[in-house]
Amino acid sequence: MEKKKLYIGGNWVEANDYYDLRSPFSQEVVAQVPLADKNHVEEAIRAASENTGIIKNMPAHERADILLRVSTLLEENMEEAARILTLENAKPIKAARLEIGRTAQTYRFAAEEAKQLYGETIPMDAAKGAEDKFGFTIREPLGVIAAITPFNFPFNLAAHKLGPAIAAGNSIVLKPASQTPLSAFYIAELFERAGLPKGVLNVVTGSGGVIGDLLVTDDRVKMVTFTGSLEVGKRVKELAGLKRVTLELGSNAPVIIDNVKDLDRAVTKCVQGSFAYSGQICISVQRIYVHEDIFDTFLEKFSRGAQSLVIGDPEDESTDISALIHQKEITRVKTWIEEAENKGATKILGGELYNNTTITPTILTNVPSDSSLCTLEAFAPIVYVNKFNNINAAIKEANNSQFGLQAGIFTDSIQTALKAVRELESGGINVNDVPTFRVDHMPYGGVKNSGIGKEGIKYSTEEMTEVKFVSFTS
Ligand code: NAP
């Protein structure tokens, strides 16, 4: 079994303490992972801080080349990277390969963005008294960025932070989720091979509470880019003071199914959007509102689709659904199902334990709006399907949430689509698709309690820069 090391200042460093990393599916110990202490975090910040100049002053084409090399290395080592992912977070292997492919593309987008950090000219003579001036802006890196990532897309969500940070000329301290440190070490190795100067990227692993607080409160850190839960996001925001903060948080994404002709398309996409990676996706479909005229047919087809999913070992090629990240999530989900049923909901499918590590795809209906399944984020293979009789009611229900990350609507009416686009309270609206659809260059980020700021490579690269204004007097 491998004993991993921290990556600080371009060196692989042993820690004083380690923890056992267990596969969520087999529960076997798969690696020993260093628990960074206060001194390690201090060293990592110092290394990042001392090397801000080297990455800031590196020409954009060289930064782009490094990012491109990482992308190519990932493509060349797709299978190895996918196996690491499957081992640490139980993502079924076929989905793991998709994530690695996406991650390679994300770094490619970042390489392109490194060369497109434009400023603008300001028409100074628009102001009386400034006729003799010529004004323009340049974008400068912020310096040290702390990147804190969750367990569910450990390669691609780290890429959404490392890619733009390096594209913009920043140095980084990365703190991955405790359950998914292997992907972070792996990507650090690829950056090393790709020629990233020492100290520009540092990886510290261990307790989020300890490392997170140290990173978030350190004055040398100029920005915290955080993806994770609402609870931790709130804490990060409270502690960050005047630092720039990006928060990519959770949701309980809704989709509205109007009285559409092509119901099968909506059903197929809803099955995928509700149960992919066991629902552990921030834009997983959790709430489905279906027009009364097609409700029964939808429910029947949707249940059949969910039943056809293969539950099993994440390393099996046929597996669609595997273990939840921690067993405690099963207890929580079971409690939520019981609570909804006690309040009048009907269970249509699932809710059974599998291998002691997951719960079978679960569908409920008539779920009341005050149940946890309506108000909180499930992050599990559980979804409800409720009926509506007019679009205003459906939009109202969809908006009845503390979250607003992405929403979807299937409709054959352009008027209904545009009404939904205008009225749904959400960072992104997918018309004729599930909220779960995302590609990595589009702007992405929530409203309400789903977060602050936008990711999507162009947008996060800009957020990781400071606009400097220059005025020339002739
Ligand atoms: P989490 O428990 O909030 O953890 C996220 C990260 O924060 C981990 O690295 C964690 O470290 C760290 N952390 C824990 N306590 C901290 C503290 N006090 N200060 C700073 N960092 C701390 O989330 P998760 O369970 O890994 O991921 C699931 C959540 O992420 C869901 O809510 C999901 O919706 C959200 N998510 C959002 C997006 C998006 O783009 N909007 C994408 C993916 C996931 P430890 O693991 O060591 O505790």
Side-chain angles (χ1 to χ4, degrees):
M1 188 203 322
E2 238 190 315
K3 195 171 182 184
K4 305 303 288 188
K5 291 181 177 164
L6 303 164
Y7 187 58
I8 299 174
N11 301 309
W12 293 95
V13 178
E14 289 198 7
N16 301 321
D17 295 309
Y18 289 78
Y19 65 95
D20 288 341
L21 181 71
R22 287 179 187 275
S23 147
F25 182 76
S26 70
Q27 294 295 313
E28 281 166 18
V29 178
V30 294
Q32 285 195 301
V33 180
L35 275 166
D37 60 24
K38 201 175 171 193
N39 293 333
H40 296 121
V41 178
E42 163 61 29
E43 283 169 32
I45 298 173
R46 176 144 36 91
S49 181
E50 286 173 359
N51 287 288
T52 49
I54 195 163
I55 189 74
K56 177 181 177 180
N57 296 322
M58 180 184 278
H61 65 84
E62 285 183 27
R63 298 200 303 271
D65 283 349
I66 289 170
L67 290 162
L68 210 50
R69 278 199 287 276
V70 169
S71 171
T72 307
L73 282 167
L74 263 179
E75 280 164 350
E76 289 170 358
N77 296 282
M78 158 100 57
E79 196 55 29
E80 187 182 24
R83 297 272 161 202
I84 287 171
L85 187 48
T86 296
L87 195 66
E88 68 179 3
N89 81 353
K91 184 163 288 185
I93 187 67
K94 58 189 178 188
R97 289 190 195 109
L98 290 179
E99 179 173 339
I100 303 304
R102 262 181 81 180
T103 308
Q105 184 175 249
T106 302
Y107 281 117
R108 197 169 292 266
F109 281 134
E112 288 159 6
E113 213 51 52
K115 299 189 213 169
Q116 302 191 55
L117 272 170
Y118 298 108
E120 60 178 351
T121 54
I122 312 295
M124 299 297 285
D125 61 346
K128 284 180 189 164
E131 294 84 353
D132 62 342
K133 299 196 188 307
F134 175 74
F136 64 95
T137 62
I138 50 177
R139 283 191 176 271
E140 292 194 333
L142 300 176
V144 179
I145 293 185
I148 302 175
T149 49
F151 74 83
N152 62 339
F153 284 85
F155 271 104
N156 199 33
L157 293 179
H160 270 278
K161 304 190 183 306
L162 307 189
I166 291 166
N170 296 286
S171 59
I172 308 130
V173 181
L174 170 63
K175 150 70 184 110
S178 290
Q179 185 58 42
T180 53
L182 304 183
S183 47
F185 292 131
Y186 190 79
I187 208 69
E189 281 173 32
L190 296 195
F191 269 107
E192 200 174 39
R193 285 170 63 187
L196 188 72
K198 284 176 184 290
V200 172
L201 171 62
N202 305 273
V203 181
V204 282
T205 50
S207 156
V210 175
I211 300 174
D213 283 5
L214 290 169
L215 288 175
V216 173
T217 53
D218 194 288
D219 283 342
R220 290 164 294 179
V221 172
K222 301 302 173 203
M223 174 180 182
V224 181
T225 168
F226 172 84
T227 302
S229 61
L230 172 60
E231 294 68 30
V232 179
K234 275 184 177 163
R235 180 172 175 82
V236 167
K237 178 83 168 51
E238 275 164 21
L239 291 181
L242 292 182
K243 285 185 183 68
R244 195 168 296 183
V245 173
T246 298
L247 301 177
E248 299 290 337
L249 309 178
S251 81
N252 52 7
V255 59
I256 296 169
I257 319 283
D258 198 9
N259 192 356
V260 288
K261 286 203 189 76
D262 190 354
L263 188 56
D264 288 345
R265 173 174 75 160
V267 168
T268 304
K269 286 186 181 257
C270 282
V271 171
Q272 179 65 17
S274 303
F275 302 116
Y277 190 39
S278 305
Q280 297 171 120
I281 302 178
C282 50
I283 38 178
S284 191
V285 172
Q286 184 171 327
R287 302 177 293 139
I288 307 181
Y289 302 101
V290 182
H291 193 280
E292 58 185 358
D293 291 354
I294 54 164
F295 182 82
D296 291 342
T297 318
F298 177 89
L299 200 52
E300 195 256 314
K301 289 186 173 203
F302 182 56
S303 302
R304 227 182 311 137
Q307 273 171 309
S308 72
L309 296 170
V310 177
I311 311 176
D313 187 326
E315 295 199 28
D316 287 350
E317 294 293 334
S318 59
T319 296
D320 298 304
I321 298 211
S322 193
L324 288 174
I325 199 71
H326 297 298
Q327 287 183 325
K328 68 176 170 20
E329 304 303 334
I330 294 169
T331 318
R332 174 180 59 84
V333 171
K334 279 186 163 277
T335 314
W336 284 20
I337 295 170
E338 272 169 33
E339 181 210 352
E341 285 182 313
N342 288 341
K343 288 182 172 176
T346 309
K347 190 168 74 184
I348 304 293
L349 184 75
E352 287 135 32
L353 196 59
Y354 176 86
N355 183 45
N356 279 328
T357 58
T358 195
I359 214 142
T360 58
T362 308
I363 302 172
L364 289 103
T365 187
N366 293 323
V367 174
S369 59
D370 64 346
S371 51
S372 300
L373 192 51
C374 263
T375 56
L376 303 174
E377 177 181 39
F379 231 57
I382 175 164
V383 61
Y384 72 77
V385 186
N386 280 4
K387 196 184 289 187
F388 72 85
N389 57 16
N390 77 69
I391 193 66
N392 287 323
I395 292 174
K396 191 170 171 216
E397 279 302 307
N399 284 340
N400 184 16
S401 169
Q402 61 171 321
F403 299 111
L405 188 47
Q406 293 215 131
I409 176 163
F410 288 83
T411 180
D412 297 335
S413 155
I414 186 76
Q415 284 82 5
T416 303
L418 289 173
K419 180 181 170 64
V421 166
R422 275 194 300 270
E423 295 181 16
L424 283 171
E425 297 161 0
S426 188
I429 316 283
N430 292 334
V431 177
N432 292 327
D433 212 329
V434 280
T436 327
F437 171 80
R438 178 191 185 186
V439 285
D440 298 286
H441 63 313
M442 69 189 223
Y444 179 82
V447 298
K448 303 203 260 186
N449 278 345
S450 287
I452 300 172
K454 292 279 178 209
E455 288 200 334
I457 297 303
K458 171 175 182 283
Y459 306 90
S460 32
T461 307
E462 286 181 357
E463 294 215 18
M464 292 177 179
T465 61
E466 200 71 75
V467 173
K468 183 182 267 182
F469 170 69
V470 183
S471 160
F472 262 69
T473 306
S474 55

